[in-house]
Amino acid sequence: DAGVTQSPTHLIKTRGQQVTLRCSPISGHKSVSWYQQVLGQGPQFIFQYYEKEERGRGNFPDRFSARQFPNYSSELNVNALLLGDSALYLCASSAPLRASNYEQYFGPGTRLTVT
Amino acid sequence: DAKTTQPTSMDCAEGRAANLPCNHSTISGNEYVYWYRQIHSQGPQYIIHGLKNNETNEMASLIITEDRKSSTLILPHATLRDTAVYYCIVRVSNDYKLSFGAGTTVTVRA
């Protein structure tokens, strides 16, 4: 089975522009989470979606938005890009929610550079 | 969420066991201890998790103290490919997010 896939791998944008990042979860996984990882720091939680509904949101401005599609793939959109948005954006998928624990499986990330 | 404290970095000799400590003195009774690692330029990888009993899988062993205030991840025979940043995270079982700290940068040397 393929793992979590993300596209594009790398992206360069200019301040003020908008960007869309894409994620395909592992087959059978209905939950997708997005994280931002600035150089030298651990990943920071942005969003989680389950069955196309937002289940949680981290401390990020409204410039960040996301959605999940019927096939459980997801897009992360960032508007009005700032230099500080330069980071590795990670997508993670997890198995259908159940009472016990579940681990999240991460994709390779999209490296966004804002100039 | 309870916070964790890990050493910033540590070195390990190839072929030897690597013992990675984590302090989580404010952990709650329903919080699990998770370990992930991130090899350079890749996404984080799940390693192991536990509640209060010691756990072992094909990658590592997790030793949790009886009072659950600290734990140790053991890589039994470190290889060069184990060089990575290792994150210790505590979370409740149905929490939708992982709260990463700075982690421990582990360098395995030949």
Coordinates of all heavy atoms in Angstrom, one line a residue, chain B residues 27-107:
Chain B
I27 N 2.1 14.3 33.9 CA 1.2 13.4 33.1 C 0.0 13.0 33.8 O 0.0 12.8 35.1 CB 2.0 12.2 32.6 CG1 1.2 11.4 31.5 CG2 2.4 11.3 33.8 CD1 2.1 10.3 30.8
S28 N -1.1 13.0 33.1 CA -2.4 12.6 33.8 C -2.6 11.1 33.6 O -2.0 10.5 32.8 CB -3.6 13.4 33.1 OG -3.4 14.8 33.3
G29 N -3.6 10.6 34.4 CA -3.8 9.1 34.4 C -4.2 8.6 33.1 O -4.0 7.4 32.8
N30 N -4.9 9.4 32.2 CA -5.4 8.9 31.0 C -4.5 9.3 29.8 O -5.0 9.2 28.6 CB -6.8 9.4 30.8 CG -6.9 11.0 30.7 OD1 -5.9 11.6 31.0 ND2 -8.0 11.5 30.1
E31 N -3.3 9.8 30.0 CA -2.4 10.2 29.0 C -1.4 9.1 28.7 O -0.8 8.5 29.6 CB -1.7 11.5 29.3 CG -2.7 12.7 29.2 CD -1.9 14.0 29.5 OE1 -1.2 14.0 30.5 OE2 -2.1 14.9 28.7
Y32 N -1.2 8.8 27.4 CA -0.3 7.8 26.9 C 1.0 8.6 26.6 O 1.1 9.7 26.3 CB -0.8 7.1 25.7 CG -1.9 6.2 25.9 CD1 -3.2 6.6 26.3 CD2 -1.7 4.8 25.8 CE1 -4.2 5.7 26.5 CE2 -2.7 3.9 26.0 CZ -4.0 4.4 26.3 OH -5.0 3.5 26.6
V33 N 2.1 7.8 26.6 CA 3.4 8.3 26.1 C 3.7 7.7 24.7 O 3.6 6.5 24.5 CB 4.5 7.8 27.1 CG1 5.9 8.3 26.6 CG2 4.3 8.3 28.5
Y34 N 3.9 8.6 23.8 CA 4.2 8.3 22.4 C 5.6 8.7 22.1 O 6.1 9.7 22.6 CB 3.2 9.0 21.5 CG 1.9 8.5 21.3 CD1 0.9 8.6 22.3 CD2 1.5 7.7 20.2 CE1 -0.4 8.1 22.2 CE2 0.2 7.2 20.0 CZ -0.7 7.4 21.0 OH -1.9 6.9 20.9
W35 N 6.2 7.9 21.2 CA 7.5 8.3 20.6 C 7.4 8.3 19.1 O 6.9 7.3 18.5 CB 8.6 7.4 21.1 CG 9.1 7.6 22.5 CD1 8.5 7.1 23.6 CD2 10.2 8.4 22.9 NE1 9.2 7.6 24.7 CE2 10.2 8.3 24.3 CE3 11.2 9.1 22.2 CZ2 11.2 9.0 25.1 CZ3 12.2 9.8 23.0 CH2 12.2 9.7 24.4
Y36 N 7.9 9.4 18.5 CA 8.0 9.5 17.1 C 9.5 9.9 16.8 O 10.2 10.4 17.7 CB 7.1 10.6 16.5 CG 5.7 10.2 16.3 CD1 4.8 10.1 17.4 CD2 5.2 9.9 15.0 CE1 3.5 9.7 17.2 CE2 3.9 9.6 14.8 CZ 3.0 9.5 15.9 OH 1.7 9.1 15.7
R37 N 9.9 9.6 15.6 CA 11.2 10.1 15.2 C 11.1 10.7 13.8 O 10.2 10.4 13.0 CB 12.3 9.0 15.2 CG 12.2 8.0 14.0 CD 13.3 7.0 14.2 NE 13.3 6.1 13.1 CZ 14.2 5.0 13.0 NH1 15.1 4.8 13.9 NH2 14.1 4.2 11.9
Q38 N 12.0 11.7 13.5 CA 12.0 12.3 12.2 C 13.5 12.3 11.7 O 14.3 13.0 12.2 CB 11.5 13.8 12.3 CG 11.3 14.5 11.0 CD 10.6 15.8 11.2 OE1 10.6 16.4 12.2 NE2 10.0 16.3 10.1
I39 N 13.6 11.5 10.6 CA 14.9 11.5 9.9 C 14.9 12.7 9.0 O 13.9 13.2 8.5 CB 15.0 10.2 9.1 CG1 15.1 9.0 10.1 CG2 16.3 10.2 8.2 CD1 15.0 7.7 9.5
H40 N 16.1 13.3 8.8 CA 16.3 14.5 8.1 C 15.5 14.5 6.8 O 15.6 13.6 6.0 CB 17.8 14.7 7.8 CG 18.0 16.0 7.1 ND1 17.7 17.3 7.7 CD2 18.5 16.3 5.9 CE1 18.1 18.2 6.8 NE2 18.6 17.7 5.8
S41 N 14.7 15.6 6.6 CA 13.9 15.9 5.4 C 12.8 14.9 5.1 O 12.3 14.7 4.0 CB 14.9 15.9 4.2 OG 15.8 16.9 4.3
Q42 N 12.4 14.1 6.2 CA 11.3 13.2 6.0 C 10.2 13.6 7.1 O 10.4 14.4 8.0 CB 11.7 11.8 6.3 CG 12.7 11.3 5.3 CD 13.1 9.8 5.5 OE1 12.3 9.1 6.1 NE2 14.2 9.4 5.0
G43 N 9.0 13.0 6.9 CA 8.0 13.2 7.9 C 8.2 12.4 9.1 O 8.9 11.4 9.1
P44 N 7.7 12.8 10.3 CA 7.8 12.0 11.5 C 7.3 10.6 11.3 O 6.4 10.3 10.6 CB 7.0 12.7 12.5 CG 7.0 14.2 12.0 CD 6.9 14.0 10.5
Q45 N 7.9 9.6 12.0 CA 7.6 8.2 12.0 C 7.2 7.7 13.3 O 8.0 7.9 14.3 CB 8.8 7.4 11.4 CG 8.6 5.9 11.4 CD 9.9 5.2 11.0 OE1 11.0 5.7 11.2 NE2 9.7 4.0 10.5
Y46 N 6.1 7.1 13.5 CA 5.7 6.5 14.7 C 6.6 5.4 15.1 O 7.0 4.6 14.3 CB 4.2 5.9 14.6 CG 3.8 5.0 15.7 CD1 3.3 5.6 16.9 CD2 3.9 3.7 15.6 CE1 2.9 4.7 18.0 CE2 3.5 2.8 16.6 CZ 3.0 3.3 17.8 OH 2.6 2.5 18.8
I47 N 7.0 5.4 16.4 CA 7.9 4.3 16.9 C 7.1 3.4 17.9 O 7.0 2.2 17.6 CB 9.1 4.9 17.7 CG1 9.9 5.8 16.8 CG2 9.9 3.7 18.2 CD1 11.0 6.5 17.5
I48 N 6.5 3.9 18.9 CA 5.9 3.1 20.0 C 5.1 4.0 20.9 O 5.3 5.2 20.9 CB 7.0 2.3 20.7 CG1 6.5 1.1 21.5 CG2 7.8 3.3 21.6 CD1 7.6 0.2 22.0
H49 N 4.2 3.4 21.6 CA 3.5 4.1 22.7 C 3.1 3.2 23.8 O 3.1 1.9 23.6 CB 2.2 4.8 22.1 CG 1.1 3.9 21.8 ND1 0.9 3.2 20.6 CD2 0.0 3.6 22.6 CE1 -0.2 2.6 20.7 NE2 -0.8 2.8 21.8
G50 N 2.8 3.8 25.0 CA 2.4 3.0 26.1 C 1.7 3.8 27.2 O 1.8 5.0 27.1
L51 N 1.0 3.1 28.1 CA 0.3 3.8 29.1 C 1.0 3.7 30.4 O 1.4 4.7 31.1 CB -1.1 3.2 29.2 CG -2.0 3.9 30.3 CD1 -2.3 5.3 30.0 CD2 -3.3 3.1 30.4
K52 N 1.2 2.5 30.9 CA 2.0 2.3 32.2 C 2.8 1.0 32.1 O 3.8 0.9 32.9 CB 1.0 2.2 33.3 CG -0.1 1.2 33.2 CD -1.0 1.3 34.4 CE -2.2 0.3 34.3 NZ -3.1 0.4 35.5
N53 N 2.6 0.1 31.3 CA 3.4 -1.1 31.1 C 4.5 -0.9 30.1 O 4.4 -0.1 29.2 CB 2.5 -2.3 30.7 CG 1.5 -2.6 31.7 OD1 1.7 -2.6 32.9 ND2 0.3 -3.0 31.3
N54 N 5.6 -1.6 30.3 CA 6.6 -1.5 29.3 C 6.2 -2.1 28.0 O 5.4 -3.1 28.0 CB 7.9 -2.3 29.9 CG 8.4 -1.6 31.1 OD1 8.2 -0.5 31.4 ND2 9.2 -2.4 31.9
E55 N 6.6 -1.6 26.9 CA 6.2 -2.1 25.6 C 7.4 -2.3 24.8 O 8.5 -1.7 24.9 CB 5.3 -1.0 24.9 CG 4.1 -0.6 25.7 CD 3.0 -1.7 25.7 OE1 3.1 -2.6 24.9 OE2 2.1 -1.6 26.5
T56 N 7.3 -3.3 23.8 CA 8.4 -3.6 22.9 C 7.8 -3.9 21.6 O 6.7 -4.6 21.5 CB 9.2 -4.8 23.4 OG1 9.8 -4.5 24.6 CG2 10.3 -5.2 22.4
N57 N 8.4 -3.4 20.5 CA 8.1 -3.8 19.2 C 9.3 -4.0 18.4 O 10.4 -4.0 18.9 CB 7.1 -2.8 18.5 CG 7.7 -1.4 18.3 OD1 8.9 -1.3 18.3 ND2 6.8 -0.4 18.2
E58 N 9.2 -4.1 17.1 CA 10.4 -4.5 16.3 C 11.4 -3.3 16.2 O 12.5 -3.5 15.8 CB 9.9 -4.9 14.8 CG 9.3 -3.8 14.1 CD 7.8 -3.6 14.4 OE1 7.3 -4.3 15.3 OE2 7.1 -2.8 13.7
M59 N 10.9 -2.1 16.5 CA 11.8 -1.0 16.4 C 12.5 -0.6 17.7 O 13.7 -0.2 17.8 CB 11.0 0.3 16.0 CG 10.6 0.3 14.5 SD 9.8 1.8 14.1 CE 11.1 3.0 14.2
A60 N 11.8 -0.7 18.9 CA 12.3 -0.2 20.1 C 11.5 -0.8 21.3 O 10.5 -1.5 21.1 CB 12.2 1.3 20.1
S61 N 12.0 -0.5 22.5 CA 11.4 -0.8 23.7 C 11.1 0.5 24.5 O 11.9 1.5 24.4 CB 12.2 -1.7 24.6 OG 12.4 -2.9 24.0
L62 N 10.0 0.6 25.2 CA 9.6 1.7 26.0 C 9.5 1.3 27.4 O 8.7 0.4 27.7 CB 8.2 2.3 25.5 CG 7.6 3.4 26.3 CD1 8.6 4.6 26.3 CD2 6.3 3.8 25.7
I63 N 10.2 1.9 28.3 CA 10.2 1.7 29.7 C 9.6 2.9 30.4 O 10.1 4.0 30.3 CB 11.6 1.4 30.3 CG1 12.3 0.3 29.4 CG2 11.5 1.0 31.7 CD1 11.7 -1.0 29.4
I64 N 8.5 2.7 31.1 CA 7.8 3.7 31.8 C 8.0 3.5 33.3 O 7.7 2.4 33.8 CB 6.3 3.8 31.4 CG1 6.2 4.0 29.9 CG2 5.6 5.0 32.2 CD1 4.8 4.0 29.4
T65 N 8.4 4.5 34.1 CA 8.6 4.3 35.5 C 7.2 4.1 36.2 O 6.1 4.4 35.6 CB 9.2 5.5 36.1 OG1 8.4 6.7 35.8 CG2 10.6 5.7 35.5
E66 N 7.3 3.5 37.3 CA 6.0 3.1 38.0 C 5.2 4.3 38.3 O 3.9 4.2 38.3 CB 6.4 2.4 39.3 CG 5.2 1.7 40.0 CD 5.6 0.8 41.1 OE1 6.8 0.5 41.2 OE2 4.7 0.4 41.9
D67 N 5.8 5.5 38.6 CA 5.0 6.7 38.9 C 4.6 7.4 37.6 O 3.9 8.4 37.7 CB 5.7 7.6 39.9 CG 7.0 8.1 39.3 OD1 7.3 7.9 38.1 OD2 7.8 8.8 40.0
R68 N 5.0 6.9 36.5 CA 4.7 7.4 35.1 C 5.3 8.8 34.9 O 4.9 9.5 34.0 CB 3.2 7.4 34.9 CG 2.6 6.0 35.0 CD 1.4 5.7 34.2 NE 0.5 6.9 34.0 CZ 0.2 7.4 32.8 NH1 0.7 6.9 31.7 NH2 -0.6 8.4 32.7
K69 N 6.2 9.3 35.7 CA 6.7 10.6 35.6 C 7.8 10.7 34.6 O 8.3 11.8 34.2 CB 7.1 11.2 36.9 CG 5.9 11.4 37.8 CD 6.3 12.1 39.1 CE 5.1 12.4 40.0 NZ 5.4 13.1 41.3
S70 N 8.3 9.6 34.2 CA 9.4 9.6 33.2 C 9.4 8.3 32.4 O 8.8 7.3 32.8 CB 10.8 9.8 33.8 OG 11.1 8.7 34.6
S71 N 10.1 8.3 31.3 CA 10.2 7.1 30.5 C 11.5 7.1 29.7 O 12.2 8.1 29.6 CB 9.0 7.0 29.5 OG 9.0 8.1 28.6
T72 N 11.8 5.9 29.2 CA 13.0 5.8 28.4 C 12.7 5.0 27.1 O 12.1 3.9 27.2 CB 14.1 5.1 29.2 OG1 14.4 5.8 30.3 CG2 15.4 4.9 28.3
L73 N 13.1 5.5 26.0 CA 13.0 4.8 24.7 C 14.4 4.1 24.5 O 15.4 4.7 24.6 CB 12.7 5.7 23.6 CG 12.6 5.0 22.2 CD1 11.3 4.3 22.1 CD2 12.8 6.1 21.1
I74 N 14.3 2.8 24.2 CA 15.6 2.1 24.0 C 15.6 1.6 22.6 O 14.7 0.8 22.2 CB 15.7 0.9 25.0 CG1 15.7 1.4 26.5 CG2 17.0 0.1 24.7 CD1 15.6 0.3 27.5
L75 N 16.7 2.0 21.9 CA 17.0 1.4 20.6 C 18.0 0.3 20.8 O 19.2 0.7 21.1 CB 17.5 2.5 19.6 CG 16.6 3.7 19.4 CD1 17.3 4.7 18.5 CD2 15.2 3.3 18.9
P76 N 17.7 -0.9 20.7 CA 18.6 -2.0 21.2 C 20.0 -2.1 20.5 O 21.0 -2.3 21.2 CB 17.8 -3.3 21.0 CG 16.8 -2.9 20.0 CD 16.5 -1.5 20.2
H77 N 20.0 -1.9 19.2 CA 21.3 -1.9 18.5 C 21.3 -0.8 17.5 O 20.8 -1.0 16.3 CB 21.4 -3.3 17.8 CG 21.3 -4.5 18.7 ND1 22.3 -4.8 19.6 CD2 20.3 -5.4 18.9 CE1 22.0 -5.9 20.3 NE2 20.8 -6.2 19.9
A78 N 21.7 0.4 17.9 CA 21.6 1.5 17.0 C 22.4 1.4 15.7 O 23.6 0.8 15.8 CB 22.1 2.8 17.8
T79 N 21.9 1.8 14.6 CA 22.6 1.8 13.4 C 22.6 3.3 12.9 O 22.0 4.2 13.4 CB 21.8 1.0 12.3 OG1 20.6 1.7 11.9 CG2 21.5 -0.4 12.8
L80 N 23.4 3.5 11.9 CA 23.6 4.9 11.3 C 22.2 5.4 10.9 O 22.0 6.6 10.9 CB 24.6 4.9 10.2 CG 26.0 4.5 10.6 CD1 26.9 4.5 9.3 CD2 26.6 5.4 11.7
R81 N 21.4 4.5 10.4 CA 20.0 5.0 9.9 C 19.1 5.4 11.1 O 18.0 5.9 10.8 CB 19.4 3.8 9.2 CG 20.0 3.6 7.8 CD 19.4 2.4 7.1 NE 19.7 1.2 7.8 CZ 19.3 0.0 7.4 NH1 18.5 -0.2 6.3 NH2 19.5 -1.1 8.1
D82 N 19.5 5.2 12.3 CA 18.7 5.7 13.4 C 19.0 7.1 13.8 O 18.4 7.7 14.7 CB 19.0 4.8 14.7 CG 18.4 3.4 14.5 OD1 17.3 3.2 13.9 OD2 19.1 2.4 14.9
T83 N 20.0 7.7 13.1 CA 20.3 9.1 13.3 C 19.0 9.9 12.9 O 18.6 9.9 11.8 CB 21.5 9.6 12.5 OG1 22.6 9.0 13.0 CG2 21.6 11.1 12.5
A84 N 18.5 10.7 13.9 CA 17.2 11.4 13.7 C 16.9 12.3 14.9 O 17.6 12.2 15.9 CB 16.1 10.4 13.5
V85 N 15.8 13.0 14.8 CA 15.3 13.7 16.0 C 14.2 12.9 16.5 O 13.3 12.4 15.8 CB 14.7 15.1 15.6 CG1 14.1 15.8 16.8 CG2 15.8 16.0 15.0
Y86 N 14.2 12.6 17.8 CA 13.3 11.7 18.5 C 12.4 12.6 19.4 O 12.9 13.4 20.2 CB 14.0 10.7 19.3 CG 14.6 9.6 18.5 CD1 15.8 9.9 17.8 CD2 14.0 8.4 18.3 CE1 16.4 8.9 17.0 CE2 14.6 7.4 17.5 CZ 15.7 7.7 16.8 OH 16.3 6.7 16.0
Y87 N 11.1 12.4 19.2 CA 10.1 13.2 20.0 C 9.3 12.3 21.0 O 8.8 11.3 20.6 CB 9.1 13.9 19.0 CG 9.7 14.8 18.0 CD1 9.9 14.5 16.7 CD2 9.9 16.2 18.4 CE1 10.4 15.4 15.8 CE2 10.4 17.1 17.5 CZ 10.7 16.7 16.2 OH 11.2 17.6 15.3
C88 N 9.3 12.8 22.2 CA 8.5 12.2 23.2 C 7.2 13.0 23.4 O 7.3 14.2 23.6 CB 9.3 12.1 24.5 SG 8.3 11.5 26.0
I89 N 6.0 12.4 23.3 CA 4.8 13.2 23.3 C 3.8 12.5 24.3 O 3.8 11.2 24.3 CB 4.2 13.2 21.9 CG1 5.1 13.9 20.9 CG2 2.8 13.9 22.0 CD1 4.7 13.7 19.5
V90 N 3.1 13.2 25.1 CA 2.0 12.6 25.9 C 0.7 13.1 25.4 O 0.6 14.3 25.0 CB 2.2 12.9 27.4 CG1 3.5 12.3 27.9 CG2 2.2 14.4 27.7
R91 N -0.3 12.3 25.3 CA -1.6 12.7 24.8 C -2.6 11.7 25.3 O -2.3 10.5 25.6 CB -1.6 12.7 23.3 CG -1.3 11.4 22.6 CD -1.1 11.5 21.2 NE -2.4 11.7 20.4 CZ -2.7 11.0 19.4 NH1 -2.0 10.0 19.0 NH2 -3.9 11.2 18.8
V92 N -3.9 12.1 25.4 CA -5.0 11.2 25.7 C -5.3 10.4 24.5 O -4.9 10.8 23.4 CB -6.2 12.0 26.2 CG1 -5.9 12.7 27.5 CG2 -6.7 13.0 25.2
S93 N -5.9 9.3 24.7 CA -6.0 8.3 23.6 C -6.8 8.9 22.4 O -6.5 8.5 21.3 CB -6.7 7.0 24.1 OG -8.0 7.3 24.6
N94 N -7.8 9.7 22.6 CA -8.6 10.1 21.5 C -8.4 11.6 21.1 O -9.1 12.2 20.5 CB -10.1 10.0 21.9 CG -10.5 10.8 23.1 OD1 -9.7 11.3 23.8 ND2 -11.8 10.8 23.4
D95 N -7.2 12.1 21.6 CA -6.8 13.5 21.2 C -6.5 13.5 19.7 O -5.9 12.6 19.2 CB -5.6 13.9 22.0 CG -5.4 15.4 21.9 OD1 -6.1 16.1 21.2 OD2 -4.4 15.9 22.5
Y96 N -7.0 14.5 19.1 CA -6.8 14.6 17.6 C -5.5 15.1 17.2 O -5.2 15.2 16.0 CB -8.0 15.4 17.0 CG -8.2 16.7 17.6 CD1 -7.4 17.8 17.4 CD2 -9.3 16.9 18.5 CE1 -7.6 19.0 18.0 CE2 -9.5 18.1 19.1 CZ -8.7 19.2 18.8 OH -8.9 20.4 19.4
K97 N -4.7 15.6 18.1 CA -3.5 16.3 17.6 C -2.3 15.7 18.4 O -2.4 15.2 19.5 CB -3.5 17.8 17.9 CG -3.6 18.2 19.3 CD -3.7 19.7 19.4 CE -3.7 20.2 20.8 NZ -4.9 19.7 21.6
L98 N -1.1 15.8 17.8 CA 0.2 15.5 18.4 C 0.8 16.9 18.8 O 1.0 17.7 17.9 CB 1.1 14.7 17.5 CG 0.6 13.3 17.2 CD1 1.4 12.7 16.1 CD2 0.7 12.4 18.5
S99 N 1.3 17.0 20.0 CA 2.0 18.3 20.4 C 3.5 18.0 20.5 O 3.9 17.4 21.5 CB 1.4 18.8 21.7 OG 0.1 19.1 21.6
F100 N 4.2 18.3 19.4 CA 5.6 18.1 19.4 C 6.4 19.2 20.1 O 6.1 20.4 20.0 CB 6.1 18.1 17.9 CG 5.6 16.9 17.1 CD1 4.4 16.9 16.5 CD2 6.4 15.8 17.0 CE1 4.0 15.9 15.7 CE2 6.0 14.7 16.2 CZ 4.8 14.8 15.6
G101 N 7.4 18.8 20.9 CA 8.4 19.7 21.4 C 9.6 19.8 20.5 O 9.5 19.5 19.3
A102 N 10.7 20.1 21.1 CA 11.9 20.2 20.2 C 12.6 18.9 20.0 O 13.4 18.7 19.0 CB 12.9 21.2 20.9
G103 N 12.3 17.9 20.8 CA 12.9 16.6 20.6 C 14.4 16.5 21.0 O 15.0 17.4 21.4
T104 N 14.9 15.3 20.9 CA 16.3 15.0 21.1 C 16.9 14.6 19.7 O 16.5 13.7 19.1 CB 16.5 13.8 22.1 OG1 16.0 14.1 23.3 CG2 18.0 13.5 22.2
T105 N 18.0 15.3 19.4 CA 18.7 15.0 18.2 C 19.7 13.9 18.5 O 20.7 14.1 19.3 CB 19.5 16.2 17.6 OG1 18.5 17.2 17.3 CG2 20.2 15.8 16.4
V106 N 19.5 12.7 18.0 CA 20.4 11.6 18.2 C 21.3 11.3 17.0 O 20.8 11.2 15.9 CB 19.5 10.3 18.5 CG1 20.5 9.1 18.6 CG2 18.7 10.5 19.7
T107 N 22.6 11.3 17.3 CA 23.5 11.0 16.2 C 24.2 9.7 16.5 O 24.8 9.6 17.6 CB 24.6 12.2 16.2 OG1 23.9 13.4 15.9 CG2 25.6 11.9 15.0

